[in-house]
Amino acid sequence: INDKPSYARWMVESLDWGTLSTLSTMNHVSGSPFGNPVSFASNHGVPYMCVSPLDQSIQDLFADARVSLSMSEAQFGNYSSCLIPSGDPENPPCARLSISGVFENVTDPNEWQIAKQVLTAKHPSFENFCFSSDDSFHHFFLAKI
C-alpha cells in the first residue's frame, strides 16, 4: 500500500463495523481496556454510530470520552493476505486501522441528518430502532469520533 492515508479513508468508507475500545468503568475491571463491536457508517472519513446509553462502552465514554475504533482488511473476507491458511489477519500485508479520538454526541441538526442518512443507507435496520419514536427503544443517540 503506497498511499496509506487514502487506503485508510477507503477502509472507513467501505467497512460497516469495528471494535470500539474504551477504558472500563465496571467495578471489577475499572481502568482496564474494554472493546465492543459497533456498527458505523462514515461521511468523508468521520465515523458515525447509533448507540444506546445502556451499552457498557457508552457508559464508559460518559466517564472518559477518549476512544478508539479499530478495523481490519480481514473484515472484507476476500483478501488473500488476510485469509487462513495462505494469510492471516495479523499478517503485515493485511491492513489494520485504529482511529483514536474523542467520542462526541451529534447535536447539530444538519450533521444529525447527514449521520442518519449515512447510517440508514449502510444499516437499513437502524430505521427500526435508532430512529424509532417508541420510547421503549433505550433512547438511542448519534455519536461520532
Side-chain angles (χ1 to χ4, degrees), residues 64-125:
D64 184 339
R66 293 177 297 165
V67 65
S68 67
L69 178 64
S70 301
M71 55 204 81
S72 168
E73 186 178 44
Q75 291 168 252
F76 291 114
N78 58 355
Y79 284 69
S80 61
S81 62
C82 305
L83 298 175
I84 297 171
S86 62
D88 190 86
E90 289 189 49
N91 193 14
C94 185
R96 291 160 279 182
L97 176 64
S98 288
I99 300 169
S100 296
V102 176
F103 189 79
E104 296 179 42
N105 189 357
V106 176
T107 56
D108 175 75
N110 293 329
E111 185 178 20
W112 193 93
Q113 285 299 325
I114 291 168
K116 178 182 179 182
Q117 181 181 359
V118 297
L119 281 164
T120 55
K122 195 165 266 192
H123 304 280
S125 66

Side-chain angles (χ1 to χ4, degrees), residues 1 22 38 54 56 61 65 91 93 98 105 134:
I1 301 169
T22 62
V38 65
L54 301 178
Q56 182 59 51
L61 291 166
N91 193 14
S98 288
N105 189 357
D134 182 352

